[in-house]
Amino acid sequence: MVRVLEVRRDTPSVSTLVLDKKVRPEYGQFFMLWIAGAGEKPYVCSRSGGNMEVTVKRTGPFSEQLAAIKKGDIVGIRGPYGNGHFQVTGRKPCFVAGGLGIVPLLPVIEGMRDAAKGAYVILGAKTAKELIHLERVKKTGAEIHVATDDGSAGDQGFPPELFLKTLAGKNFDQVLCCGPEVMMYQILSIVLEKKIPAQFSLERYMKCGIGICGSCALDPTGLLVCRDGPVFRAEQLRGTEFGKHRRDAAGSKTKI
Ligand code: FES
């Protein structure tokens, strides 16, 4: 059980909680966060080292309760979990983030230190107001390309379109991606065709977080997102249900 030290409002629908707990997970590993009366859900740290920070978007009953938490409140955490994490292996990596997808990628970019100047970041959001952690990304020195659905900041369009256009003039040797699964699936198709090494952070309904319940299974491989991910290489996702189906709270398959 840990105390909330600070709550920062990042955008109208996104907040960051700073917790009284020092952690240093591998990039992309997740923690299960518990709120009394609401249960628990997986979250990735939005900063590496120092006090644990969790960035939360209000999307449903649990995240509404988490976002309503105030300085001094108590939450429960367990973790870190997951054996698949982000690793920078290229000198010219491209980071593709949609919405909250920048959260697990940002500590990776910051961890590159001076080498981040060779990185390229495609940062997508619905509107300018919903761009998350843009100032922190700028501080890394990486080249940034912003895209919004409505054109209120950067180019109007979606990250996969920009990625495809950008590929024509850049020679990326690696792609690291996180965002809505529909977006990631499009990026996956491109990198598999172009044979660019890539890593993707997946989100699934998680109950146990430790490989027991099967709710996060990636059919037909038997891979579990909580145990074998949440970050997977592109080749691991080829031919799976990624981009097509996921399980809901009852364990039934639903379309993405
Ligand atoms: S959440 Fe239970 S097996 Fe992954």
Side-chain angles (χ1 to χ4, degrees):
M1 305 301 290
V2 296
R3 193 167 293 282
V4 177
L5 296 178
E6 187 186 345
V7 179
R8 289 195 297 263
R9 175 62 64 94
D10 299 312
T11 76
S13 64
V14 175
S15 308
T16 294
L17 311 182
V18 183
L19 306 181
D20 188 12
K21 176 81 180 170
K22 301 259 193 284
V23 292
R24 188 168 281 280
E26 300 285 356
Y27 296 132
Q29 280 188 310
F30 67 95
F31 289 81
M32 296 299 282
L33 240 89
W34 174 85
I35 311 174
E40 58 177 3
K41 294 257 185 205
Y43 285 92
V44 178
C45 292
S46 47
R47 197 181 290 275
S48 184
N51 284 94
M52 182 174 173
E53 292 191 14
V54 180
T55 300
V56 182
K57 184 175 174 72
R58 289 195 294 282
T59 55
F62 185 89
S63 53
E64 287 283 355
Q65 287 208 38
L66 196 52
I69 276 180
K70 299 180 296 301
K71 180 178 174 179
D73 287 349
I74 298 283
V75 297
I77 58 167
R78 59 184 176 96
Y81 296 129
N83 292 300
H85 40 85
F86 283 121
Q87 286 178 291
V88 176
T89 55
R91 293 167 64 98
K92 293 184 201 158
C94 179
F95 294 82
V96 185
L100 213 59
I102 190 61
V103 168
L105 293 174
L106 184 49
V108 188
I109 306 166
E110 290 177 334
M112 290 175 72
R113 300 176 187 274
D114 281 353
K117 293 187 177 72
Y120 195 90
V121 181
I122 295 176
L123 185 58
K126 285 190 173 154
T127 67
K129 281 187 181 167
E130 289 297 333
L131 279 165
I132 303 164
H133 298 324
L134 178 59
E135 291 309 311
R136 274 177 64 190
V137 181
K138 283 182 181 168
K139 277 190 193 153
T140 65
E143 192 175 349
I144 307 171
H145 198 149
V146 169
T148 48
D149 297 4
D150 65 354
S152 52
D155 285 339
Q156 181 170 17
F158 302 104
E161 295 167 25
L162 282 185
F163 177 62
L164 203 49
K165 271 192 218 162
T166 311
L167 272 182
K170 301 273 181 186
N171 199 15
F172 300 128
D173 52 9
Q174 186 189 13
V175 172
L176 299 93
C177 181
C178 187
E181 193 152 323
V182 173
M183 179 206 92
M184 289 202 289
Y185 185 70
Q186 292 176 47
I187 301 289
L188 175 70
S189 305
I190 298 168
V191 297
L192 286 176
E193 192 204 319
K194 306 273 184 196
K195 296 188 171 46
I196 306 170
Q199 298 163 12
F200 297 82
S201 180
L202 270 60
E203 191 184 355
R204 283 290 181 275
Y205 192 88
M206 287 191 194
K207 292 179 184 169
C208 70
I210 53 173
I212 295 172
C213 71
S215 72
C216 66
L218 198 60
D219 288 344
T221 58
L223 290 169
L224 297 172
V225 173
C226 71
R227 182 193 64 193
D228 305 305
V231 177
F232 292 93
R233 287 175 287 106
E235 295 73 25
Q236 291 176 288
L237 300 174
R238 191 197 291 268
T240 69
E241 64 181 352
F242 174 69
K244 301 175 191 103
H245 298 102
R246 67 196 321 166
R247 285 180 171 78
D248 61 18
S252 305
K253 279 198 180 186
T254 56
K255 278 195 170 181
I256 286 177

